[in-house]
């Protein structure tokens, strides 16, 4: 059966490449496939001991075989997709066959049966005469895992991505112009949107829409927005910061062991942060910094003598 | 914990203290401040203080302490209940005074009130009577421990609570509280001796929420949880003797950062700001190193803390071992402009740690030494950090500032001496406030005072050399640190106080030089020198005839006699000449070294040894003089107006290497709009080596010159091609390069040039279209994506530039401004402003610089008639909750609107904000801006100037601002600007027979007042011991009765009550008493009475006219008489000590009053009855101490 399929495929492709008579490639393909299937059916019939068969019955058998194969393919595809894959694996096929009531175990024996017939590969027809004008680049050779009788790769232009540079815009002026107007448009659109959707103030009494100002809204903690860099800036800062720090450590720690020192410093600062957030809980490791604000908070004594009760 | 001194008092007396004589009859050695409870919700504080004092006189019976705002529950001395009274005349300066309204009168009364509680005069608001049981103890000069329980509810000054109204616990909300104030203001938050000269050691304890941190002075000894583990107590010890005024506190959910370089230094900031804190403080250790190195002295405290808080009172406040900064000083590494400013603030505060906190002052008149030294070493730090150019530029700036201020106001006196008490000796008669106390000073005056102080220090340095100067500082510091380590010898502590005489003595010891003339000129005397210089060159004699005139008759000037350096740059080199200034106008002949015949192609040597080629074609062929400079080293506090030819100024600009000279020549060139000046300025602008600030000034000068030359100007607008060449792309000159601010010099120039260009005007006096397009393009093509630094300041300046380009709208007979008739250029500008302002809402810039600039620009558009003038927008931005910079900018616009549109409504709005805004700085700033840009002035007719406004402002300065010295002085400044010294002219004629209390010598009377009124005027005493609270006659027509009823709730009744008790408290006069007690102390006591009893006019009028009495209670009649200074016998003090029951009872009442203020009147009566029922012995009854400020004395019940 597997062989049959393989040959069927080969046959189809062969017919396709050789299909000169047909105008429509899809029809062409169908015809070729069908012809190969007929050959398969015929040979199977021969194998089964038939000497001749009516055309109609051969057609019927061919139809059945075709639906059977199609069903295997469809089903295998479903199984494969079910497990979130795109390429069916052997197990998909096996499950399909089992599902369709086929005893898979018999397959190897069947394949090795003595009386089986081998269908010759479909005759390789001449290379299609492709008009020279259409060739664009070299057709890719088959990779080793594809049998050579498989059709060749189509022309590269049909599958290779060809970036189309219109005149690459390298003019600085235009670029800047564009960047500027783009940003301006975005800003304007954004602010207008904000103004439209929220409260606004206006400088004119007669017209409130031409220069809409987003209404001033007091903050609960005004200094935070005023002092903290926006996330955008923060990112930028981190980048520059790290590069700066590198430079610094490079120059400063030249005579020292660079790794040790910066490592220690990092530990300290992280310890600091922890301490700060946990309000003074001591980090397990030895703390280099002895600062009263980092010391742990003492537990109250049971009978703490109140200081300064007056003498 | 309590250093019981070895009777320091006695030793003190024996040794005969070195220069310092305490005004108090006791010595404070140790103080405990314990705050048990801080309630952020209610904004209240509960705690106690304990002062350890040693009497220095045997008959000490009253102890005066400072306390304001605090509600005092109980006072015990050595565990015995002590009677106390509370009297604060500064709460309401003038009483029963409804028609006076005369600033001169107010200032005198205010100065008197301040001095009545001045700790430096031994006074205080709180007077505690030593229980009779302890008199013997006192006579042996044994230690007294005064324990005072107090609370503070909704403090308006001294402690500032910041409680954002968001969800969450106080710590999550970022609520915090900190101490603040102007000069010695510690009395606002706990009872103390609020003087810079009373030093003691401290134990400070603060119990706060477990999520909070309390930062205070000295070493954090330990942090202990309370029993419920929900709070913790911070224990601080400050073993270095410190004045109460240098004690501070900050509590909040601070993030903690231990300085990575100095582990004893800890930084604190509000939540989320830690990254900024790290960056901002990363530089501090260098400042430490610098100061320690130049002073050759370790930082005196064992630790240092910086706290960054919101709603700061001032940007920088230095206290013992800690400094409190505004959180707005924090910045990230991307911010250029703020970095030097913040570093300067850090350096300033650190300088004050040495001089100001560690070393304190003996008296207010020695303040200049501290401010001078800290300002001077800060200047040295500037020189080292930012370079000599920056330093000289700064000195020049400061000099210009002080000169302008002194010429405007009539002088700043560094070392006022108040002797004699004669009015004529009043050193500051030109001012509308007294300079006798820091608390009566105008803020601006104080700022200028500090500025002058450090400039004078620099003059001293010029005289004795920096080396000696630093030796003097080192000497002061080492003396102080020796003294500070004398834990048990508190008499030694006075070594930690600096005085003018001590400082001068130190200078003469170290340097051996006599600087007395210098001190006399600049310290003991106010005023600056004004020189006018001109010259002629005498070719025959080859002599420069220099004429230097002085103006010493204008206010704020003084005559200078002494050496004056003149530098003459000749063809052959630069030569210094020292002239002796002796007469007013004097010609000085200075021989020239060079022959006027010039050698072609010879290089000209400059002062610094450099030799340069010059194009000499511009100069006078006969003269070898290139330029002349008078006092190039700024070694006189002066203003020089010097005349020399334009080409000389141009040479000076191009070739003189001193930035000050360059700056001066730029300013001079404004008067010479010629192509040559233009060229000189352009060359400077292009010269990379030139100091950037000079180049920035050159931009503005060039704009002015271009405007003067507008008809002959050729080529593109000034600076345009220059800017294009420097900052625009080579290929497309209309597009600015993407921002790269790595070179700060060009950054500043890039920022400034468009702002200056926008000032250009064409022949129609409009900003050239080309310039506007240019600026709009700059904004359009601004691209900061690749920049390491933020461009927020740059963009803000671009908006400023847009605003600068606006010219007045051509208005057709007052048509209403609408969008339709908007000028197309203005439309473009408005488009940008709208977009910027809206973008700020989405992507706010650092410190909202862009919003600030936008608001200013909108105001400019309004003012020029392009946009309808309307304050609504500004008012919304001025609301509490916006960032402070935005608020100030918006308020500035409202102030301007108020002036231009004469809007009564807005003025009222501003005034109510002055009274109610939660942020002290904003309130101060509004007053300040109103004073700078007043809606009207005294000689101006204005519909705004009416009686109601006078009353309002009067009330504001009289009683409305008693919680903040700075604010009150600001109100005084505003009143002065609006109405002048005399009675405001808008007031109706005063009633006949009214007596005004005026200074005799001054023509301060309103001309409408008939001369007879002067007859009864009294001379207010200058001597602090004599109270100058002079009361006018009661106006019989005044509605005082009603007012009184209202006021009962607040001040008057309590004061009547107090004044009564003051008499009660007085210890029976013993034979030895008058002998021992200095006469002044008694009169001081009496002096203190009068303001206290102002509820009823107590001072008997010397001219014997019966005054109308107010309805403070008939029962007080006898009291008034007894209070008269002439007949103030020491009344018997009831010796019986307080019964505990009564104490409780009163206590109870006290609380009730607090709770039910509305029902106060009822209570009042009730109490009244109660008292009289209880005590038949009581000679008179009196109203209850209703307000929180009133006092309670247990002894009173007996």
């Amino acid at each position: 059966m597997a062989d049959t399929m393989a040959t069927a495929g080969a046959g189809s492709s062969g017919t396709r490449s050789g299909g000169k008579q047909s105008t429509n490639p899809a029809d062409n393909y169908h015809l070729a496939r069908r012809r190969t299937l007929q050959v398969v059916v015929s040979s199977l019939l021969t194998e089964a001991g038939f000497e001749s068969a009516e055309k109609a019955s051969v057609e019927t058998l061919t139809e059945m075989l075709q639906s059977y194969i199609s069903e295997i393919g469809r089903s295998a595809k479903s199984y494969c997709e079910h497990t979130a894959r795109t390429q069916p694996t052997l197990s998909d096929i096996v499950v399909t066959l089992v599902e369709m009531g086929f005893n898979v175990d018999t397959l190897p024996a069947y394949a090795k049966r003595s009386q089986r017939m081998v269908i010759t590969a479909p005759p390789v027809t001449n290379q299609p005469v492709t008009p020279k004008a259409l060739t664009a680049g070299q057709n890719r050779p088959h990779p080793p895992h594809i049998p050579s009788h498989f059709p060749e790769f189509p022309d590269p232009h049909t599958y290779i991505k060809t970036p189309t540079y219109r005149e690459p815009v390298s003019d600085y002026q235009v670029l800047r112009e564009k960047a500027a107007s783009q940003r301006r448009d975005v800003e304007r659109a954004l602010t207008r949107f904000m103004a439209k959707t929220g409260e606004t103030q206006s400088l004119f009494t007669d017209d409130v829409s031409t220069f809409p100002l987003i209404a001033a809204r007091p903050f609960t903690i005004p200094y935070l927005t005023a002092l903290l860099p926006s996330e955008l800036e923060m990112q930028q800062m981190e980048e520059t910061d790290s590069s700066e720090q590198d430079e610094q450590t490079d120059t400063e720690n030249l005579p020292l062991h660079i790794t040790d020192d910066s490592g220690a410093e990092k530990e300290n600062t992280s310890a600091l942060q922890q301490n700060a957030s946990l309000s003074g809980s001591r980090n397990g490791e030895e703390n280099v910094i002895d600062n009263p604000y980092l010391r742990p908070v003492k537990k109250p004594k049971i009978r703490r003598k109140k200081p300064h009760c007056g003498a | 914990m309590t250093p019981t001194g070895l009777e320091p008092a006695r030793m003190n007396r024996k040794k005969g203290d070195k220069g310092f004589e305490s005004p108090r009859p006791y010595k404070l050695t140790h103080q405990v401040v314990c705050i048990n409870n801080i309630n952020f919700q209610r904004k209240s504080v509960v705690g106690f203080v304990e002062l350890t004092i040693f009497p220095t006189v045997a008959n000490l019976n009253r102890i005066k302490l400072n306390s304001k705002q605090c509600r005092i529950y109980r006072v015990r001395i050595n565990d015995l209940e002590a009677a106390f009274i509370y009297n604060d005349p500064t709460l309401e300066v003038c009483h029963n005074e409804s028609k006076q309204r005369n600033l001169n009168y107010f200032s005198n009364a205010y100065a008197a009130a301040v001095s009545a509680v001045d700790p430096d005069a031994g006074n205080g608001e709180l007077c505690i009577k030593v229980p009779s049981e302890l008199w013997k103890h006192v006579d042996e000069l044994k230690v007294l421990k005064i324990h005072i329980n107090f609370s503070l509810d909704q403090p308006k000054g001294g402690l500032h609570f910041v409680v954002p109204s968001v969800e969450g616990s106080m710590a999550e909300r970022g609520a915090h509280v900190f101490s603040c104030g102007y000069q010695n203001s510690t009395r606002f938050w706990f009872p103390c001796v609020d003087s810079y000269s009373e030093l003691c050691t401290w134990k400070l304890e603060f119990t706060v929420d477990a999520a909070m941190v309390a930062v205070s002075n000295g070493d954090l000894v330990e942090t202990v949880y309370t029993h419920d583990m929900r709070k913790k107590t911070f224990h601080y010890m400050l073993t270095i003797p410190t004045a109460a005024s240098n004690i501070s506190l900050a509590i909040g959910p601070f993030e903690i950062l231990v300085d990575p370089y100095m582990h004893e230094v800890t930084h604190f900031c509000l939540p989320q700001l830690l990254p900024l804190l790290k960056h901002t403080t990363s530089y501090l250790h260098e400042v430490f190193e610098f100061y320690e190195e130049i002073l050759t002295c370790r930082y005196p405290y064992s630790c240092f803390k910086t706290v960054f808080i919101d709603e700061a009172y001032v940007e920088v406040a230095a206290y013992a071992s800690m400094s409190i900064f505004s959180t707005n000083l924090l910045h990230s590494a991307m911010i250029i402009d703020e970095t030097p400013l913040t570093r300067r603030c850090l350096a300033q505060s650190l300088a004050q740690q040495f001089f100001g906190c560690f070393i304190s002052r003996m008296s207010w008149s020695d303040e200049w030494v501290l401010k001078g030294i800290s300002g001077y070493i800060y200047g040295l730090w500037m020189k080292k950090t930012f370079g000599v150019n920056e330093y000289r530029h700064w000195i020049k700036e400061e000099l210009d500032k002080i000169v302008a201020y002194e010429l405007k106001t009539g002088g700043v006196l560094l070392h006022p001496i108040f002797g004699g008490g004669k009015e004529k000796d009043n050193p500051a008669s030109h001012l509308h406030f007294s300079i006798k106390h820091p608390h009566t000073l105008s803020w601006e005056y104080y700022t200028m005072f500090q500025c002058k102080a450090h400039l004078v220090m620099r003059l001293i340095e010029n005289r004795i050399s920096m080396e000696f100067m630093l030796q003097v500082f080192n000497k002061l510091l080492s003396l102080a640190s020796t003294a500070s380590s004398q834990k048990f010898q508190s008499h030694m502590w006075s070594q930690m106080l600096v005085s003018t005489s001590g400082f001068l003595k130190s200078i003469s010891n170290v340097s051996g030089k006599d600087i007395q003339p210098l001190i006399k000129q600049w310290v003991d005397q106010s005023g600056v020198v004004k020189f006018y210089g001109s010259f002629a060159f005498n070719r025959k004699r080859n002599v420069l005839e220099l004429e230097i005139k002085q103006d010493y008759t204008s206010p704020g000037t003084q005559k200078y006699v002494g050496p004056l350096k003149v530098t003459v740059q000749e063809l052959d080199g630069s030569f210094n000449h020292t002239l002796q200034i002796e007469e007013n106008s004097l010609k000085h002949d200075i021989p020239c070294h060079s022959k006027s015949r010039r050698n072609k192609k010879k290089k000209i040597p400059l002062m610094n040894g450099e030799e340069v080629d010059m194009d000499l074609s511009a100069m006078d062929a006969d003269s070898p003089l290139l330029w002349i400079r008078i006092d190039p080293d700024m070694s006189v506090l002066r203003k020089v107006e010097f005349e020399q030819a334009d080409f000389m100024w141009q040479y000076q600009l191009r070739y003189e290497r001193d930035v000050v000279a360059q700056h001066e020549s730029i300013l001079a060139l404004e008067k010479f709009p010629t192509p040559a000046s233009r060229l000189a300025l352009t060359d400077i602008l292009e010269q990379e080596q030139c100091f950037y600030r000079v180049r920035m000034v050159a931009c503005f000068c060039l704009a002015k010159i271009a405007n003067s030359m507008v008809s002959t100007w050729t080529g593109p607008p000034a600076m345009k091609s220059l800017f294009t060449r420097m900052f625009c792309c080579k290929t497309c000159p209309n597009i600015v390069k993407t921002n790269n601010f790595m070179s700060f010099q060009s950054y500043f120039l890039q920022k400034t040039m468009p702002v200056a260009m926008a000032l250009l005007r064409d022949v129609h006096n409009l900003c050239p279209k080309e310039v506007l397009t240019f600026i709009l393009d700059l904004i359009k093509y601004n691209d900061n994506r690749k920049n390491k630094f933020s461009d927020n300041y740059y963009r803000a300046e671009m908006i400023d530039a847009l605003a600068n380009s606006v010219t007045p709208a051509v208005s057709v007979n007052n048509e209403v401004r609408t969008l339709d008739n908007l000028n197309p250029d203005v439309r473009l500008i408005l488009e940008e402003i709208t977009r910027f302002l809206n973008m700020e809402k989405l992507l706010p810039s650092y410190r909202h610089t862009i919003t600030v600039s936008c608001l200013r620009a909108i105001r400019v558009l309004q003012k020029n008639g392009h946009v309808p003038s309307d304050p609504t927008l500004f008012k919304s931005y001025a609301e509490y909750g916006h960032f402070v910079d935005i608020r100030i900018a918006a308020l500035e616009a409202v102030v301007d609107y108020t002036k231009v549109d004469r809007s009564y409504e807005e003025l009222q709005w501003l005034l109510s904000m002055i009274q109610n805004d939660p942020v002290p700085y904003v309130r101060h700033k509004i007053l300040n801006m109103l004073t700078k840009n007043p809606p009207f002035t005294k000689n101006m007719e204005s519909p705004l100037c009416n009686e109601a406004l006078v009353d309002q402002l009067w009330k504001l300065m009289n009683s409305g601002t008693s919680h903040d010295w700075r604010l009150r002085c600001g109100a005084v400044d505003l009143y002065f600007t609006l109405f002048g010294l005399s009675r405001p002219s808008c007031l109706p004629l005063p009633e006949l027979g009214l007596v005004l209390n005026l200074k005799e010598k001054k023509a301060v009377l309103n001309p409408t007042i008939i001369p007879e009124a002067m007859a009864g005027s009294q001379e207010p005493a200058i001597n602090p011991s004599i109270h100058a609270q002079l009361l006018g006659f009661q106006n019989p027509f005044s509605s005082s009765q009603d007012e009184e009823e209202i006021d009962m709730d607040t001040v008057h009744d309590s004061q009547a009550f107090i004044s009564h008790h003051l008499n009660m408290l007085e210890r029976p006069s013993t034979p030895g008493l008058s002998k021992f007690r200095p006469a002044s102390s008694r009169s001081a006591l009496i002096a203190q009475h009068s303001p206290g009893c102002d509820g009823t006019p107590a001072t008997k009028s010397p001219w014997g006219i019966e005054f109308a009495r107010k309805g403070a209670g008939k029962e007080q009649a006898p009291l008034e008489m007894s209070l008269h200074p002439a007949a103030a016998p020491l009344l018997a003090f009831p010796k019986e000590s307080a019964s505990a029951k009564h104490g409780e009872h009163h206590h109870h009442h006290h609380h009730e009053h607090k709770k039910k203020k509305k029902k106060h009147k009822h209570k009042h009566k009730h109490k009244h009855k109660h008292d009289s029922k209880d005590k038949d012995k009581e000679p008179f009854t009196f109203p209850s101490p209703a307000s929180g400020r009133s006092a309670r004395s247990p002894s009173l019940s007996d």
Side-chain angles (χ1 to χ4, degrees), chain A residues 172 176-177 183-184 187-188 201 206-207 210 212 214 219-220 223 226 236 291 293 298 301 308 310, chain B residues 1 50 222-223 225 236 263 266 305 736 780-782 787 818-819 831-832 835 838 847 876 881:
Chain A
Y172 186 76
R176 288 291 301 275
E177 191 105 36
R183 200 192 53 212
R184 178 169 294 239
E187 284 182 7
R188 200 196 313 255
Q201 290 165 317
D206 58 331
D207 186 333
T210 313
I214 301 173
F219 298 94
T220 40
Y223 59 84
Q236 211 176 335
N291 185 290
Y293 293 94
K298 290 184 186 167
K301 289 167 196 157
H308 313 294
Chain B
M1 209 157 279
E50 190 184 85
E222 58 179 359
T223 318
Y225 278 115
Y236 284 92
H263 295 171
T266 321
K305 288 140 284 184
V736 68
K780 183 176 165 194
Y781 293 117
N782 177 44
N787 199 0
T818 60
L819 200 58
E831 190 94 26
E832 294 300 327
R835 201 170 46 83
N838 285 340
R847 289 192 79 155
S876 72

Side-chain angles (χ1 to χ4, degrees), chain B residues 1133-1184:
Chain B
F1133 186 87
K1135 281 189 183 178
E1136 296 85 355
S1137 64
S1139 96
K1141 261 190 185 175
H1142 271 297
E1144 281 305 309
H1145 179 77
H1146 277 267
H1147 209 81
H1148 179 67
H1149 264 290
H1150 196 79
H1151 276 290
E1152 243 171 33
H1153 279 295
K1154 197 168 66 187
K1155 279 176 198 159
K1156 305 180 180 175
K1157 273 194 175 160
K1158 278 184 188 168
K1159 294 195 173 178
H1160 174 71
K1161 243 169 221 160
H1162 172 72
K1163 281 288 159 208
H1164 179 105
K1165 275 181 194 159
H1166 166 75
K1167 173 88 190 280
H1168 189 276
K1169 257 188 244 163
H1170 199 87
D1171 277 349
S1172 47
K1173 196 164 62 182
D1174 262 3
K1175 303 157 280 157
D1176 296 342
K1177 273 190 262 175
E1178 193 73 47
F1180 3 87
T1181 50
F1182 34 79
S1184 77

Side-chain angles (χ1 to χ4, degrees), chain B residues 39-298:
Chain B
N39 187 331
F40 279 93
Q41 198 72 53
R42 293 190 47 227
K43 298 187 178 174
S44 68
V45 164
V46 181
F48 68 84
V49 294
E50 190 184 85
L51 297 92
T52 307
I53 65 166
F54 285 89
T56 50
V57 294
N59 57 348
L60 176 74
N61 57 359
R62 289 166 300 106
I63 295 161
K64 285 188 180 174
L65 297 177
N66 294 107
S67 172
K68 265 172 159 298
Q69 286 188 133
C70 303
R71 177 179 289 123
I72 290 168
Y73 292 113
R74 188 177 188 199
V75 177
R76 281 173 299 162
I77 302 183
N78 290 4
D79 288 336
L80 291 168
E81 294 291 334
F84 62 94
I85 60 140
Y86 189 96
N87 171 27
D88 185 359
T90 64
L91 286 180
E92 187 174 5
V93 175
C94 302
H95 303 272
N96 303 341
E97 198 289 315
S98 51
K99 295 290 162 195
Q100 192 86 341
R101 303 296 185 251
N102 158 334
L103 189 61
N104 226 343
Y105 171 81
F106 177 85
S107 283
N108 286 329
Y110 181 40
V114 169
S115 85
V117 293
D118 184 10
D120 282 337
N123 295 329
E125 294 88 354
L126 183 66
C127 184
I128 300 166
K129 193 251 166 194
V130 179
S132 52
E133 292 91 328
L134 288 170
W135 289 357
K136 190 155 176 294
H137 184 83
V138 168
D139 287 344
E140 289 161 11
L141 303 183
K142 280 190 184 157
V143 65
L144 293 179
K145 292 208 172 186
I146 308 168
H147 187 100
I148 304 172
N149 289 75
F150 72 97
S151 77
L152 205 54
D153 209 16
Q154 310 251 5
K156 285 165 142 185
L159 271 191
H160 184 66
F161 282 88
V162 182
V163 186
S165 51
V166 270
E167 292 292 304
S169 72
M170 282 299 165
E172 286 159 2
R173 286 155 72 168
H176 56 286
V177 62
F178 58 93
S179 62
C180 59
Y182 163 42
Q183 284 277 330
N184 39 343
S185 296
T186 308
R187 65 183 90 169
F188 282 95
W189 60 287
F190 66 82
C192 58
V193 180
D194 196 7
S195 161
Y196 282 101
S197 62
E198 190 69 48
L199 308 180
C200 68
T201 54
W202 294 82
K203 170 84 182 76
L204 306 153
E205 293 176 32
F206 306 99
T207 304
V208 300
D209 194 272
M212 299 256 187
V213 182
V215 187
S216 188
N217 316 90
D219 292 307
L220 177 63
V221 181
E222 58 179 359
T223 318
V224 185
Y225 278 115
T226 51
H227 286 283
D228 58 2
M229 300 293 278
R230 288 162 70 180
K231 290 183 171 187
K232 48 189 185 183
T233 308
F234 286 78
H235 295 265
Y236 284 92
M237 284 283 270
L238 181 57
T239 50
I240 290 180
T242 301
S245 317
N246 279 324
I247 296 298
S248 62
L249 169 67
I251 298 173
F254 298 123
E255 306 215 30
I256 301 171
L257 171 68
V258 176
D259 196 291
Y261 299 91
M262 305 167 291
H263 295 171
E264 59 276 31
V265 177
T266 321
H267 311 291
F268 301 87
C269 69
L270 292 164
Q272 300 182 48
L273 299 177
L274 191 62
L276 302 186
L277 183 73
K278 267 185 197 160
H279 177 77
T280 307
T281 56
S282 61
Y283 172 75
L284 189 69
H285 65 283
E286 290 186 33
V287 191
F288 261 98
E289 278 165 26
F290 176 78
Y291 286 139
E292 289 188 351
E293 196 180 313
I294 61 159
L295 298 169
T296 46
C297 170
R298 296 284 302 170

